[in-house]
Amino acid sequence: MNPPAGYADRVTKTPAFRLGVLGSGKGSNFVAICEAMDAGLLPAEVAVVISDVAEAGILKHATDRGLPARYLAPGKFRTKLDEDAEAAYLTALREARVDLVVLAGFMRILKGEFLRAFEGRVVNIHPSLLPSFPGLAAWKQALDYGVKVTGCTVHYVDQGVDTGPIIGQRAVPVLDGDTAESLHARIQEAERQLYPATIAAIARGRVAVRGRLTTGFGAGQPVDR
Ligand code: GRF
């Protein structure tokens, strides 16, 4: 006897893992995340993209792909969201039923109420091997310091600046003659591999956190099926 119409869909479809992506810039990490999804390497979907910059490239990439994209004004501060803005961001993310908040070049610090609302569910990518060189222009800090290896780090976001538990890292050499631009470009290439792979591991439920320590991803394997 054949099962009733639609039966297979009802029993086999698990709800997708939903990403809320926040970005302020050109959106190259966001594009890499979308491409990994298109290739079937990242079992998730983009529920909403939000930017604090109306003309940010990330919003254009999202609309070009037919994904929900919103500019939400950040309010009166320069480096963080004000109270009203924070509430608007939280409402938008909740309405989109987001499982994981993915910071992809979002230039504002998230604290307090926001992190409590999405506790353990906010990730960020930073362009250095943390805990070295937190903060702005990390590739330039690395170059000026004279290190020979730097890279990128995906970490959970906590109340500090670039201090949360590290999920994955990828190393990049600093070459003789590097400029800030050439080193930054090499790091961003590594980011575009690391971030989708890390999010895929989280979406598959492979990443566990105990205090500062995470397990389940390691040091940046390529995206797997
Ligand atoms: C990335 O280099 C990331 O390390 C930093 O912001 C940059 C965003 O670039 N957090 P893009 O908008 O993804 O191109």
Side-chain angles (χ1 to χ4, degrees):
M1 196 179 79
N2 289 331
Y7 176 83
D9 266 4
R10 286 204 302 277
V11 289
T12 56
K13 260 198 183 162
T14 45
F17 189 76
R18 296 171 67 79
L19 308 181
V21 183
L22 306 191
S24 311
K26 65 182 195 298
S28 65
N29 278 285
F30 169 66
V31 170
I33 290 165
C34 292
E35 286 172 351
M37 285 176 189
D38 294 346
L41 301 173
L42 202 178
E45 66 186 30
V46 175
V48 67
V49 176
I50 308 175
S51 183
D52 58 329
V53 177
E55 62 282 3
I58 192 170
L59 289 180
K60 169 127 187 23
H61 284 302
T63 36
D64 286 352
R65 288 173 173 268
L67 296 168
R70 299 179 64 174
Y71 160 69
L72 286 181
K76 56 181 181 280
F77 301 122
R78 206 170 49 82
T79 58
K80 60 179 185 176
L81 301 175
D82 72 15
E83 212 174 301
D84 292 347
E86 187 179 79
Y89 274 68
L90 281 177
T91 302
L93 292 165
R94 285 185 178 125
E95 278 174 4
R97 292 176 287 113
V98 161
D99 295 304
L100 185 72
V101 178
V102 174
L103 305 184
F106 190 62
M107 296 308 286
R108 288 175 191 270
I109 295 163
L110 299 171
K111 291 199 166 214
E113 193 55 38
F114 190 102
L115 293 181
R116 274 191 292 281
F118 280 90
E119 203 183 340
R121 295 190 294 145
V122 185
V123 292
N124 181 43
I125 187 151
H126 181 76
S128 76
L129 294 177
L130 290 171
S132 292
F133 314 124
L136 294 175
W139 61 92
K140 190 164 183 312
Q141 295 185 51
L143 195 64
D144 291 347
Y145 197 92
V147 294
K148 299 300 180 196
V149 177
T150 183
C152 50
T153 302
V154 176
H155 62 93
Y156 285 110
V157 175
D158 68 6
Q159 298 278 344
V161 175
D162 304 322
T163 52
I166 289 169
I167 310 164
Q169 294 187 301
R170 200 166 176 116
V172 157
V174 181
L175 304 178
D176 290 354
D178 255 340
T179 59
E181 292 71 33
S182 63
L183 180 58
H184 192 200
R186 196 173 306 120
I187 293 171
Q188 287 199 309
E189 205 180 305
E191 289 183 343
R192 292 193 282 267
Q193 297 168 12
L194 180 68
Y195 215 3
T198 316
I199 296 166
I202 295 170
R204 292 190 166 98
R206 290 190 186 155
V207 177
V209 194
R210 262 183 85 189
R212 278 212 59 79
L213 301 186
T214 75
T215 51
F217 183 72
Q221 308 93 324
V223 201
D224 61 353
R225 279 173 193 275

PDB file of all heavy atoms in Angstrom, residues 23-31 58 103-107 124-128 139 152-153 184 187-188 191-192, ligand 1:
ATOM      1  N   GLY A  23      26.303  41.897   9.167  1.00  0.00           N
ATOM      2  CA  GLY A  23      27.539  42.389   8.557  1.00  0.00           C
ATOM      3  C   GLY A  23      27.437  43.868   8.261  1.00  0.00           C
ATOM      4  O   GLY A  23      26.344  44.405   8.081  1.00  0.00           O
ATOM      5  N   SER A  24      28.613  44.504   8.193  1.00  0.00           N
ATOM      6  CA  SER A  24      28.658  45.943   7.913  1.00  0.00           C
ATOM      7  C   SER A  24      29.388  46.241   6.606  1.00  0.00           C
ATOM      8  O   SER A  24      29.451  47.402   6.203  1.00  0.00           O
ATOM      9  CB  SER A  24      29.418  46.680   9.033  1.00  0.00           C
ATOM     10  OG  SER A  24      28.963  46.311  10.306  1.00  0.00           O
ATOM     11  N   GLY A  25      29.984  45.229   5.980  1.00  0.00           N
ATOM     12  CA  GLY A  25      30.900  45.519   4.873  1.00  0.00           C
ATOM     13  C   GLY A  25      30.561  44.810   3.590  1.00  0.00           C
ATOM     14  O   GLY A  25      29.399  44.615   3.244  1.00  0.00           O
ATOM     15  N   LYS A  26      31.637  44.375   2.911  1.00  0.00           N
ATOM     16  CA  LYS A  26      31.437  43.907   1.544  1.00  0.00           C
ATOM     17  C   LYS A  26      30.811  42.522   1.468  1.00  0.00           C
ATOM     18  O   LYS A  26      30.214  42.175   0.443  1.00  0.00           O
ATOM     19  CB  LYS A  26      32.733  43.984   0.752  1.00  0.00           C
ATOM     20  CG  LYS A  26      33.873  43.085   1.203  1.00  0.00           C
ATOM     21  CD  LYS A  26      35.077  43.388   0.296  1.00  0.00           C
ATOM     22  CE  LYS A  26      36.183  42.367   0.357  1.00  0.00           C
ATOM     23  NZ  LYS A  26      36.861  42.161   1.613  1.00  0.00           N
ATOM     24  N   GLY A  27      30.948  41.713   2.481  1.00  0.00           N
ATOM     25  CA  GLY A  27      30.187  40.457   2.529  1.00  0.00           C
ATOM     26  C   GLY A  27      30.857  39.272   1.864  1.00  0.00           C
ATOM     27  O   GLY A  27      30.177  38.326   1.457  1.00  0.00           O
ATOM     28  N   SER A  28      32.203  39.264   1.797  1.00  0.00           N
ATOM     29  CA  SER A  28      32.853  38.124   1.127  1.00  0.00           C
ATOM     30  C   SER A  28      32.687  36.836   1.949  1.00  0.00           C
ATOM     31  O   SER A  28      32.540  35.749   1.378  1.00  0.00           O
ATOM     32  CB  SER A  28      34.325  38.415   0.850  1.00  0.00           C
ATOM     33  OG  SER A  28      35.043  38.562   2.045  1.00  0.00           O
ATOM     34  N   ASN A  29      32.686  36.943   3.255  1.00  0.00           N
ATOM     35  CA  ASN A  29      32.442  35.734   4.062  1.00  0.00           C
ATOM     36  C   ASN A  29      31.011  35.231   3.866  1.00  0.00           C
ATOM     37  O   ASN A  29      30.773  34.031   3.781  1.00  0.00           O
ATOM     38  CB  ASN A  29      32.705  36.018   5.541  1.00  0.00           C
ATOM     39  CG  ASN A  29      34.179  35.936   5.869  1.00  0.00           C
ATOM     40  OD1 ASN A  29      34.749  34.857   5.962  1.00  0.00           O
ATOM     41  ND2 ASN A  29      34.825  37.088   6.017  1.00  0.00           N
ATOM     42  N   PHE A  30      30.076  36.164   3.794  1.00  0.00           N
ATOM     43  CA  PHE A  30      28.678  35.777   3.572  1.00  0.00           C
ATOM     44  C   PHE A  30      28.537  35.023   2.249  1.00  0.00           C
ATOM     45  O   PHE A  30      27.867  33.989   2.180  1.00  0.00           O
ATOM     46  CB  PHE A  30      27.799  37.030   3.589  1.00  0.00           C
ATOM     47  CG  PHE A  30      26.407  36.781   3.125  1.00  0.00           C
ATOM     48  CD1 PHE A  30      25.553  35.964   3.851  1.00  0.00           C
ATOM     49  CD2 PHE A  30      25.951  37.328   1.938  1.00  0.00           C
ATOM     50  CE1 PHE A  30      24.259  35.711   3.402  1.00  0.00           C
ATOM     51  CE2 PHE A  30      24.661  37.086   1.492  1.00  0.00           C
ATOM     52  CZ  PHE A  30      23.812  36.272   2.227  1.00  0.00           C
ATOM     53  N   VAL A  31      29.190  35.531   1.210  1.00  0.00           N
ATOM     54  CA  VAL A  31      29.116  34.858  -0.093  1.00  0.00           C
ATOM     55  C   VAL A  31      29.707  33.450   0.007  1.00  0.00           C
ATOM     56  O   VAL A  31      29.138  32.485  -0.527  1.00  0.00           O
ATOM     57  CB  VAL A  31      29.842  35.696  -1.181  1.00  0.00           C
ATOM     58  CG1 VAL A  31      29.981  34.906  -2.471  1.00  0.00           C
ATOM     59  CG2 VAL A  31      29.084  36.992  -1.429  1.00  0.00           C
ATOM     60  N   ILE A  58      27.082  43.469   1.673  1.00  0.00           N
ATOM     61  CA  ILE A  58      26.461  42.219   2.146  1.00  0.00           C
ATOM     62  C   ILE A  58      24.950  42.227   1.880  1.00  0.00           C
ATOM     63  O   ILE A  58      24.369  41.198   1.528  1.00  0.00           O
ATOM     64  CB  ILE A  58      26.794  41.973   3.644  1.00  0.00           C
ATOM     65  CG1 ILE A  58      26.410  40.541   4.042  1.00  0.00           C
ATOM     66  CG2 ILE A  58      26.140  42.998   4.554  1.00  0.00           C
ATOM     67  CD1 ILE A  58      26.932  40.138   5.415  1.00  0.00           C
ATOM     68  N   LEU A 103      28.255  36.536  12.836  1.00  0.00           N
ATOM     69  CA  LEU A 103      28.804  37.871  12.593  1.00  0.00           C
ATOM     70  C   LEU A 103      29.812  37.765  11.457  1.00  0.00           C
ATOM     71  O   LEU A 103      30.797  37.030  11.552  1.00  0.00           O
ATOM     72  CB  LEU A 103      29.480  38.418  13.855  1.00  0.00           C
ATOM     73  CG  LEU A 103      28.609  38.448  15.117  1.00  0.00           C
ATOM     74  CD1 LEU A 103      29.382  39.110  16.268  1.00  0.00           C
ATOM     75  CD2 LEU A 103      27.293  39.181  14.872  1.00  0.00           C
ATOM     76  N   ALA A 104      29.543  38.474  10.370  1.00  0.00           N
ATOM     77  CA  ALA A 104      30.421  38.414   9.196  1.00  0.00           C
ATOM     78  C   ALA A 104      30.830  39.839   8.865  1.00  0.00           C
ATOM     79  O   ALA A 104      30.233  40.486   8.011  1.00  0.00           O
ATOM     80  CB  ALA A 104      29.693  37.745   8.035  1.00  0.00           C
ATOM     81  N   GLY A 105      31.822  40.324   9.635  1.00  0.00           N
ATOM     82  CA  GLY A 105      32.256  41.700   9.431  1.00  0.00           C
ATOM     83  C   GLY A 105      31.293  42.703  10.011  1.00  0.00           C
ATOM     84  O   GLY A 105      31.133  43.795   9.469  1.00  0.00           O
ATOM     85  N   PHE A 106      30.646  42.355  11.126  1.00  0.00           N
ATOM     86  CA  PHE A 106      29.738  43.301  11.797  1.00  0.00           C
ATOM     87  C   PHE A 106      30.586  44.152  12.739  1.00  0.00           C
ATOM     88  O   PHE A 106      31.245  43.626  13.636  1.00  0.00           O
ATOM     89  CB  PHE A 106      28.659  42.542  12.578  1.00  0.00           C
ATOM     90  CG  PHE A 106      27.564  43.434  13.095  1.00  0.00           C
ATOM     91  CD1 PHE A 106      26.767  44.151  12.216  1.00  0.00           C
ATOM     92  CD2 PHE A 106      27.324  43.543  14.451  1.00  0.00           C
ATOM     93  CE1 PHE A 106      25.744  44.976  12.684  1.00  0.00           C
ATOM     94  CE2 PHE A 106      26.305  44.354  14.937  1.00  0.00           C
ATOM     95  CZ  PHE A 106      25.517  45.065  14.045  1.00  0.00           C
ATOM     96  N   MET A 107      30.590  45.477  12.502  1.00  0.00           N
ATOM     97  CA  MET A 107      31.571  46.339  13.156  1.00  0.00           C
ATOM     98  C   MET A 107      31.091  46.928  14.479  1.00  0.00           C
ATOM     99  O   MET A 107      31.625  47.937  14.934  1.00  0.00           O
ATOM    100  CB  MET A 107      32.002  47.453  12.197  1.00  0.00           C
ATOM    101  CG  MET A 107      32.720  46.934  10.955  1.00  0.00           C
ATOM    102  SD  MET A 107      34.097  45.834  11.338  1.00  0.00           S
ATOM    103  CE  MET A 107      35.304  47.026  11.917  1.00  0.00           C
ATOM    104  N   ASN A 124      31.682  34.540  15.550  1.00  0.00           N
ATOM    105  CA  ASN A 124      32.364  35.632  14.851  1.00  0.00           C
ATOM    106  C   ASN A 124      33.616  35.086  14.186  1.00  0.00           C
ATOM    107  O   ASN A 124      34.176  34.082  14.627  1.00  0.00           O
ATOM    108  CB  ASN A 124      32.765  36.709  15.876  1.00  0.00           C
ATOM    109  CG  ASN A 124      33.459  37.895  15.225  1.00  0.00           C
ATOM    110  OD1 ASN A 124      33.038  38.381  14.176  1.00  0.00           O
ATOM    111  ND2 ASN A 124      34.533  38.366  15.839  1.00  0.00           N
ATOM    112  N   ILE A 125      34.042  35.754  13.109  1.00  0.00           N
ATOM    113  CA  ILE A 125      35.355  35.427  12.534  1.00  0.00           C
ATOM    114  C   ILE A 125      36.265  36.626  12.709  1.00  0.00           C
ATOM    115  O   ILE A 125      35.863  37.771  12.469  1.00  0.00           O
ATOM    116  CB  ILE A 125      35.263  34.986  11.058  1.00  0.00           C
ATOM    117  CG1 ILE A 125      36.642  34.510  10.588  1.00  0.00           C
ATOM    118  CG2 ILE A 125      34.691  36.075  10.149  1.00  0.00           C
ATOM    119  CD1 ILE A 125      36.597  33.469   9.517  1.00  0.00           C
ATOM    120  N   HIS A 126      37.485  36.333  13.162  1.00  0.00           N
ATOM    121  CA  HIS A 126      38.440  37.407  13.443  1.00  0.00           C
ATOM    122  C   HIS A 126      39.725  37.142  12.640  1.00  0.00           C
ATOM    123  O   HIS A 126      40.202  36.007  12.610  1.00  0.00           O
ATOM    124  CB  HIS A 126      38.747  37.440  14.946  1.00  0.00           C
ATOM    125  CG  HIS A 126      39.706  38.527  15.304  1.00  0.00           C
ATOM    126  ND1 HIS A 126      39.329  39.846  15.379  1.00  0.00           N
ATOM    127  CD2 HIS A 126      41.038  38.497  15.550  1.00  0.00           C
ATOM    128  CE1 HIS A 126      40.385  40.585  15.670  1.00  0.00           C
ATOM    129  NE2 HIS A 126      41.432  39.785  15.780  1.00  0.00           N
ATOM    130  N   PRO A 127      40.292  38.193  12.030  1.00  0.00           N
ATOM    131  CA  PRO A 127      41.437  37.971  11.147  1.00  0.00           C
ATOM    132  C   PRO A 127      42.799  37.900  11.837  1.00  0.00           C
ATOM    133  O   PRO A 127      43.753  38.582  11.451  1.00  0.00           O
ATOM    134  CB  PRO A 127      41.358  39.173  10.192  1.00  0.00           C
ATOM    135  CG  PRO A 127      40.725  40.244  10.998  1.00  0.00           C
ATOM    136  CD  PRO A 127      39.793  39.576  11.959  1.00  0.00           C
ATOM    137  N   SER A 128      42.911  37.054  12.866  1.00  0.00           N
ATOM    138  CA  SER A 128      44.218  36.729  13.465  1.00  0.00           C
ATOM    139  C   SER A 128      44.066  35.409  14.197  1.00  0.00           C
ATOM    140  O   SER A 128      42.952  34.907  14.360  1.00  0.00           O
ATOM    141  CB  SER A 128      44.684  37.810  14.453  1.00  0.00           C
ATOM    142  OG  SER A 128      43.967  37.698  15.678  1.00  0.00           O
ATOM    143  N   TRP A 139      45.366  42.165  10.984  1.00  0.00           N
ATOM    144  CA  TRP A 139      46.428  41.797  10.039  1.00  0.00           C
ATOM    145  C   TRP A 139      47.555  42.817  10.094  1.00  0.00           C
ATOM    146  O   TRP A 139      48.725  42.473   9.975  1.00  0.00           O
ATOM    147  CB  TRP A 139      45.843  41.677   8.619  1.00  0.00           C
ATOM    148  CG  TRP A 139      45.244  42.952   8.130  1.00  0.00           C
ATOM    149  CD1 TRP A 139      45.876  43.919   7.401  1.00  0.00           C
ATOM    150  CD2 TRP A 139      43.914  43.431   8.379  1.00  0.00           C
ATOM    151  NE1 TRP A 139      45.011  44.975   7.170  1.00  0.00           N
ATOM    152  CE2 TRP A 139      43.807  44.702   7.757  1.00  0.00           C
ATOM    153  CE3 TRP A 139      42.812  42.919   9.047  1.00  0.00           C
ATOM    154  CZ2 TRP A 139      42.642  45.463   7.792  1.00  0.00           C
ATOM    155  CZ3 TRP A 139      41.655  43.682   9.078  1.00  0.00           C
ATOM    156  CH2 TRP A 139      41.570  44.932   8.463  1.00  0.00           C
ATOM    157  N   CYS A 152      43.337  33.180  10.949  1.00  0.00           N
ATOM    158  CA  CYS A 152      41.991  33.622  11.312  1.00  0.00           C
ATOM    159  C   CYS A 152      41.403  32.644  12.327  1.00  0.00           C
ATOM    160  O   CYS A 152      41.830  31.499  12.422  1.00  0.00           O
ATOM    161  CB  CYS A 152      41.096  33.749  10.082  1.00  0.00           C
ATOM    162  SG  CYS A 152      41.085  32.317   9.009  1.00  0.00           S
ATOM    163  N   THR A 153      40.428  33.150  13.061  1.00  0.00           N
ATOM    164  CA  THR A 153      39.832  32.397  14.163  1.00  0.00           C
ATOM    165  C   THR A 153      38.320  32.544  14.113  1.00  0.00           C
ATOM    166  O   THR A 153      37.813  33.664  13.981  1.00  0.00           O
ATOM    167  CB  THR A 153      40.314  32.967  15.520  1.00  0.00           C
ATOM    168  OG1 THR A 153      41.739  32.908  15.577  1.00  0.00           O
ATOM    169  CG2 THR A 153      39.710  32.212  16.704  1.00  0.00           C
ATOM    170  N   HIS A 184      46.329  40.844   4.340  1.00  0.00           N
ATOM    171  CA  HIS A 184      44.887  40.820   4.602  1.00  0.00           C
ATOM    172  C   HIS A 184      44.181  39.923   3.579  1.00  0.00           C
ATOM    173  O   HIS A 184      43.317  39.118   3.931  1.00  0.00           O
ATOM    174  CB  HIS A 184      44.328  42.251   4.547  1.00  0.00           C
ATOM    175  CG  HIS A 184      42.944  42.368   5.064  1.00  0.00           C
ATOM    176  ND1 HIS A 184      42.110  43.415   4.765  1.00  0.00           N
ATOM    177  CD2 HIS A 184      42.212  41.536   5.846  1.00  0.00           C
ATOM    178  CE1 HIS A 184      40.942  43.238   5.345  1.00  0.00           C
ATOM    179  NE2 HIS A 184      40.978  42.110   6.005  1.00  0.00           N
ATOM    180  N   ILE A 187      44.714  36.299   4.392  1.00  0.00           N
ATOM    181  CA  ILE A 187      43.910  35.897   5.555  1.00  0.00           C
ATOM    182  C   ILE A 187      42.447  35.736   5.142  1.00  0.00           C
ATOM    183  O   ILE A 187      41.776  34.770   5.529  1.00  0.00           O
ATOM    184  CB  ILE A 187      44.044  36.933   6.699  1.00  0.00           C
ATOM    185  CG1 ILE A 187      45.467  36.913   7.255  1.00  0.00           C
ATOM    186  CG2 ILE A 187      43.033  36.645   7.807  1.00  0.00           C
ATOM    187  CD1 ILE A 187      45.765  38.050   8.236  1.00  0.00           C
ATOM    188  N   GLN A 188      41.962  36.665   4.321  1.00  0.00           N
ATOM    189  CA  GLN A 188      40.539  36.586   3.936  1.00  0.00           C
ATOM    190  C   GLN A 188      40.246  35.340   3.096  1.00  0.00           C
ATOM    191  O   GLN A 188      39.159  34.773   3.181  1.00  0.00           O
ATOM    192  CB  GLN A 188      40.131  37.853   3.196  1.00  0.00           C
ATOM    193  CG  GLN A 188      40.032  39.021   4.183  1.00  0.00           C
ATOM    194  CD  GLN A 188      39.217  40.172   3.661  1.00  0.00           C
ATOM    195  OE1 GLN A 188      39.453  40.636   2.554  1.00  0.00           O
ATOM    196  NE2 GLN A 188      38.279  40.637   4.445  1.00  0.00           N
ATOM    197  N   GLU A 191      39.789  32.755   5.575  1.00  0.00           N
ATOM    198  CA  GLU A 191      38.490  32.940   6.243  1.00  0.00           C
ATOM    199  C   GLU A 191      37.365  32.306   5.443  1.00  0.00           C
ATOM    200  O   GLU A 191      36.461  31.684   5.998  1.00  0.00           O
ATOM    201  CB  GLU A 191      38.171  34.434   6.389  1.00  0.00           C
ATOM    202  CG  GLU A 191      39.020  35.158   7.395  1.00  0.00           C
ATOM    203  CD  GLU A 191      38.593  36.619   7.547  1.00  0.00           C
ATOM    204  OE1 GLU A 191      37.882  37.147   6.686  1.00  0.00           O
ATOM    205  OE2 GLU A 191      38.984  37.222   8.540  1.00  0.00           O
ATOM    206  N   ARG A 192      37.445  32.472   4.126  1.00  0.00           N
ATOM    207  CA  ARG A 192      36.354  31.983   3.281  1.00  0.00           C
ATOM    208  C   ARG A 192      36.292  30.457   3.262  1.00  0.00           C
ATOM    209  O   ARG A 192      35.290  29.885   2.846  1.00  0.00           O
ATOM    210  CB  ARG A 192      36.497  32.569   1.871  1.00  0.00           C
ATOM    211  CG  ARG A 192      36.260  34.073   1.856  1.00  0.00           C
ATOM    212  CD  ARG A 192      36.087  34.619   0.457  1.00  0.00           C
ATOM    213  NE  ARG A 192      37.348  34.758  -0.239  1.00  0.00           N
ATOM    214  CZ  ARG A 192      38.078  35.875  -0.254  1.00  0.00           C
ATOM    215  NH1 ARG A 192      37.665  36.952   0.409  1.00  0.00           N
ATOM    216  NH2 ARG A 192      39.212  35.941  -0.920  1.00  0.00           N
TER     217      ARG A 192
HETATM  218  C1  GRF B   1      36.590  39.848   7.699  1.00  0.00           C
HETATM  219  O1  GRF B   1      37.910  39.981   7.247  1.00  0.00           O
HETATM  220  C2  GRF B   1      36.546  39.427   9.141  1.00  0.00           C
HETATM  221  O2  GRF B   1      37.744  38.921   9.606  1.00  0.00           O
HETATM  222  C3  GRF B   1      36.245  40.675   9.909  1.00  0.00           C
HETATM  223  O3  GRF B   1      35.531  41.478   9.018  1.00  0.00           O
HETATM  224  C4  GRF B   1      35.863  41.158   7.676  1.00  0.00           C
HETATM  225  C5  GRF B   1      34.591  41.092   6.903  1.00  0.00           C
HETATM  226  O4  GRF B   1      34.802  40.975   5.527  1.00  0.00           O
HETATM  227  N1  GRF B   1      35.547  40.334  11.124  1.00  0.00           N
HETATM  228  P1  GRF B   1      33.598  40.619   4.590  1.00  0.00           P
HETATM  229  O5  GRF B   1      32.523  41.681   4.766  1.00  0.00           O
HETATM  230  O6  GRF B   1      33.106  39.245   4.935  1.00  0.00           O
HETATM  231  O7  GRF B   1      34.172  40.678   3.196  1.00  0.00           O
END
